Amino acid sequence: MRILEWILVLVTVAVTVIMLVFPKRRAMIMGTLTALIPAVLLHGLINSFRVQMILTYIVTLVLFITLIIQLMKSYRSGRYVHSAQKSNRRSWIKMTLASILVLAFSAGSIILTWLLPAFTMPEPTGSYAIGTFSEHLVDESREETKTPEEGDKRELMINVWYPVDQEAAQGLPLEHYPSELGEAISLVFGIPSQVFSYLDTIPTHVVQGAEMSAVQSKYPVLLFSPGIRSARFQSMTMIEELVSHGYIVVGIDHPYTSARVTFPDGRVVSYEADPDFATSEELYQYNVEGIGIRAADASFVLDTLTQWNSHDPNQLLEGKLDLDQVGIMGHSYGGATTAEALAQDERFQAGLSLEGGFWGKVSTTALKQPFMYIMSGGTAKSLEPDATETEKVAYPEFKPDLDRVMTSSLNDTYYLTVDNFFHQSFTDISLISPKLFARGMTPEHNVDITRSYALAFFDRYLKGEEQPLLQGSSAQFPEVTYDATYTKIRNKQTQ
């Protein structure tokens, strides 16, 4: 809990006790109102109200109404002092019940804020600050297949995060997690989105309006594709880490498979659930088509970046993009997008899949680029022959597709499993609720695993820097295990 949340809870408890011990005294009423109102206002203005504190807000409202009524009665009667003779067994029962209710509601708020704390993002470890801007893109060459309107073109929303000098970022307001993230978490876990409405009060390390750093003449580029029902902001800790080390990262929201895409004109495109299929083969083919659309999105974004590198209407990226060093990464459906984009577009020089599938050309064509695949320990166990439960992310064709992709690749491959991870551990969810989602480790260590291996992989294959993390087990991350069958260094230049 934040300090002003603690103060509000303690003030409500103290006001309740005072009202019960010294009821209906005008001095008591004025004093408790003087304490209650500033506590509420300071909390709301500085911390912002959030649903986890709803039980304390209810107590506060009841106390406020009761105090106002008592104050009005005291002025009407001229004096309003409770007689000690009226203290009887019934009043003591009321006092006891009121005390229990207030304590229970206060405890409820403490538990809810403990489960969903107002967290602080881990600091990026690189030397650069982080700038950003968003852009609405329209691919005039492709029809939108999901809209009922004939002739609609495929539209995307992207965010570009880029390196900034620390001095240039000083004094600029920090961006906060956007509301789209709460919508995404709601869809994934089936929890009302209002529970996560406070996320837009959590500051990131990102600023808007800053000039790109001139320390390097140009920077390698990474595209990021989020999971299904998710958002381009789902893995901000990983994005911030990569940008702080000198990458330009472009996050893509794919309409109809992302949780909610809001366009500049106010239009909102929400996630469209998959239809039911009679067979796994039908679902597989449906995903081949869906991933094909998202892979084409990635290529279109790269086309747009190529244009901006020659002529950027914002005059920010022009000449700054190292388009000879372009990687792509994604989680879940975004991981599948990554693998398929590698197979379809050789401009992508390396790819990282965080527990994605393999739908499309990638399942039948040998990859030519370096490829890293990271799987959660929970999903890995569910794929074992004697497993009693199967994770939803696994499907009948997954294991043969995985084997084909990893063994037929023409370039270096890495296959890692992370103990105590589950499918959503690759996002920032462990920070949002450590008690529920950081399993067997701190939330900071959880996000550090993903961002560290992502950085090591791309530093090796886009910057050519040796990386100890890629050479085997690490004492820093004992949860991570390399699979000897699928981890192969085939490119002699990287041996």
Side-chain angles (χ1 to χ4, degrees), residues 165-213:
D165 293 333
Q166 293 288 350
E167 297 78 13
Q170 288 180 358
L172 294 176
L174 294 174
E175 292 289 292
H176 292 69
Y177 273 100
S179 59
E180 288 92 337
L181 187 61
E183 184 74 19
I185 299 171
S186 172
L187 283 170
V188 171
F189 292 101
I191 302 171
S193 58
Q194 292 82 359
V195 172
F196 305 101
S197 59
Y198 72 99
L199 288 177
D200 61 10
T201 70
I202 304 296
T204 65
H205 300 101
V206 178
V207 299
Q208 281 199 16
E211 291 293 323
M212 186 178 298
S213 173

Side-chain angles (χ1 to χ4, degrees), residues 56 87 132 236 385:
T56 294
S87 294
T132 193
M236 285 303 301

